[in-house]
Amino acid sequence: MRVFAIFLALCLMAGCASKPDYYVSATPVTIPKTATFWIDTFDVEVVGKNDRFLPDEKVREQLHTDLIGRLLEDNRYASSKEAADYLLDVNSVYARRIQDTQGGFMSKIVADGTLLASVDFSYQVKVKKAGAEVLHFAQARQGLMPGGAIGQF
């Protein structure tokens, strides 16, 4: 019985000591549903280079355009920086995990013997109003598609 109690206590301590892969600031903030946003800074670090994939600048441009498009869909993108209720500072890391197949079947399909194992995407967003940070949140997403030669179920 003591061994079980010690094991349970160790499991609880390990769970309480771990950090989640996302973060939301602890300060309660209420942002109106009609508030508009402007992307003040948008930085993307692209990791994992290969000639078959989009160049870094194209990845940055497409992610920036996608974010603006999503804000426009919800009528939340301001017409100018001065007209915006909130400014956004976005920092993200787009990491391609490229795997060397070291011969085998994949070398018959892919000329250089490498394939995209997975994609990791992490971001941190700071929401500012009148020059002061009101809210920030972040998330790290690892092992996104395609998941190697077999893929993810």
Side-chain angles (χ1 to χ4, degrees), residues 5-6 8-9 11 16-17 20 33 50 57 66-67 70 74 78 94 103 110 115 125 143 150 153:
I6 291 172
L8 183 61
C11 288
C16 293
K33 293 186 180 198
N50 192 302
E57 196 53 45
D66 185 54
L67 179 57
R70 289 172 187 258
D74 294 335
Y94 180 82
V110 184
L115 59 98
V125 179
I150 299 171
F153 293 104

Side-chain angles (χ1 to χ4, degrees), residues 6-22:
I6 291 172
F7 177 72
L8 183 61
L10 288 174
C11 288
L12 287 173
M13 288 190 313
C16 293
S18 64
K19 289 183 353 183
D21 62 350
Y22 64 90

Side-chain angles (χ1 to χ4, degrees), residues 137-151:
F137 55 94
Q139 184 170 14
R141 303 187 69 198
Q142 297 178 352
L144 301 175
M145 295 307 243
I150 299 171

Side-chain angles (χ1 to χ4, degrees), residues 89-101:
D89 288 338
V90 180
N91 292 314
S92 58
V93 177
Y94 180 82
R96 301 176 187 125
R97 297 196 184 271
I98 299 170
Q99 178 180 348
D100 185 2
T101 61

Side-chain angles (χ1 to χ4, degrees), residues 33-52:
K33 293 186 180 198
T34 58
T36 57
F37 301 94
W38 183 263
I39 301 173
D40 196 25
T41 60
F42 189 82
D43 296 324
V44 178
E45 178 186 349
V46 181
V47 179
K49 310 273 188 247
N50 192 302
D51 294 338
R52 287 182 283 137

